[in-house]
Amino acid sequence: MSVAVSIRDLEFRYADGPFCLRVDSLQIEAGARVGLVGPSGSGKTTLLQLVSGIELPQRGRIDVGELSVTSLTDAERRRFRIRRVGSVFQEFELLDYLDVLDNILLPYRIHGALQLDDGVRDRAIALAESTGIGDLQNRGVRRLSQGERQRVAICRALLPQPELLLADEPTGNLDPKSKDVVFDLLLQHASREGATLIAATHDHGLLDRFERVVDLASFVAEAGA
């Protein structure tokens, strides 16, 4: 099987603190379902941001498929994220002045690499319905619960049918029943599209749903270690 994500000789430090993420080698096969675990502050969110090109390491190389993400320009990384990566952020990153449907459609409004048409709009509506927020499409996100906001964020990530899904605590704000529905949706998309799923989670009840679990504590060091 081909490799979806390859990380080698990586080192990343924040300028304003002692944290240091070091990964000598991490290979994730295309189509794999991988869970990232570790205590708070171990680098789960940082690793997802590095893979998506939101952050760049001080040293090392990150490849996604045939692309060297660490060699791309800022504009090229934005295009890569919008076309090939679906990200579910821990803080959702929804726009308060847009309603639910327009937040789901947002990737198609912020970059010319994606073209909005009736088929995309129909898919957005179907995603909303499948996650239990179909009747909230015209509601402003300020009037949503945390769990409803989480589902909007997941629908937005799935809409462009990405080949790589990066999810940061995707079920962290959901009740047990909703958690199963939403996580099933992520797994179904990954299976249907042949996408790779990498999800950071503190929920050990989900770990048996992954094909592989990576504990960042096993290869993440503090600065100076």
Side-chain angles (χ1 to χ4, degrees):
M1 184 179 289
S2 61
V3 174
V5 178
S6 174
I7 301 173
R8 295 186 183 279
D9 301 320
L10 180 142
E11 181 172 302
F12 175 83
R13 301 169 184 262
Y14 289 107
D16 57 353
F19 173 82
C20 179
L21 174 66
R22 295 193 186 109
V23 182
D24 292 334
S25 178
L26 178 62
Q27 312 294 311
I28 296 175
E29 294 181 336
R33 303 170 183 177
V34 177
L36 302 180
V37 299
S40 296
S42 62
K44 299 185 296 297
T45 296
T46 299
L47 186 60
L48 294 178
Q49 291 176 338
L50 286 162
V51 171
S52 68
I54 293 173
E55 296 280 4
L56 285 176
Q58 282 77 30
R59 180 171 63 85
R61 180 184 177 111
I62 300 171
D63 295 330
V64 175
E66 77 288 355
L67 276 181
S68 173
V69 176
T70 42
S71 299
L72 300 177
T73 65
D74 185 61
E76 289 169 340
R77 292 198 307 277
R78 286 197 299 270
R79 184 178 180 86
F80 157 72
R81 282 195 295 275
I82 205 75
R83 294 191 66 185
R84 299 178 61 175
V85 181
S87 293
V88 182
F89 299 99
Q90 194 168 7
E91 301 299 326
F92 314 140
E93 306 297 340
L94 304 181
L95 298 183
D96 287 345
Y97 58 86
L98 297 179
D99 63 20
V100 165
L101 183 59
D102 281 331
N103 264 286
I104 295 173
L105 292 169
L106 187 61
Y108 286 81
R109 300 190 186 281
I110 62 176
H111 201 290
L114 298 176
Q115 298 299 314
L116 178 60
D117 56 27
D118 289 342
V120 170
R121 186 176 293 274
D122 289 345
R123 192 163 69 248
I125 293 170
L127 282 168
E129 291 174 345
S130 70
T131 56
I133 55 173
D135 59 344
L136 303 178
Q137 294 172 44
N138 298 317
R139 180 174 294 184
V141 295
R142 291 181 179 177
R143 297 173 55 206
L144 300 180
S145 69
Q146 288 292 93
E148 289 165 344
R149 285 171 173 253
Q150 184 77 298
R151 289 182 241 187
V152 175
I154 288 171
C155 290
R156 182 184 59 192
L158 292 177
L159 184 62
Q161 298 174 304
E163 65 188 70
L164 178 61
L165 272 170
L166 303 177
D168 196 355
E169 300 290 347
T171 61
N173 294 282
L174 302 176
D175 60 79
K177 182 178 179 181
S178 297
K179 176 178 70 175
D180 289 338
V181 169
V182 166
F183 199 71
D184 284 344
L185 187 67
L186 288 172
L187 294 179
Q188 288 164 9
H189 169 85
S191 177
R192 183 174 63 249
E193 303 295 333
T196 304
L197 171 63
I198 307 174
T201 184
H202 281 103
D203 188 345
H204 284 215
L206 292 175
L207 297 187
D208 61 354
R209 310 289 300 277
F210 294 104
E211 298 170 344
R212 178 183 174 193
V213 175
V214 176
D215 186 351
L216 289 193
S218 65
F219 57 81
V220 176
E222 292 294 324

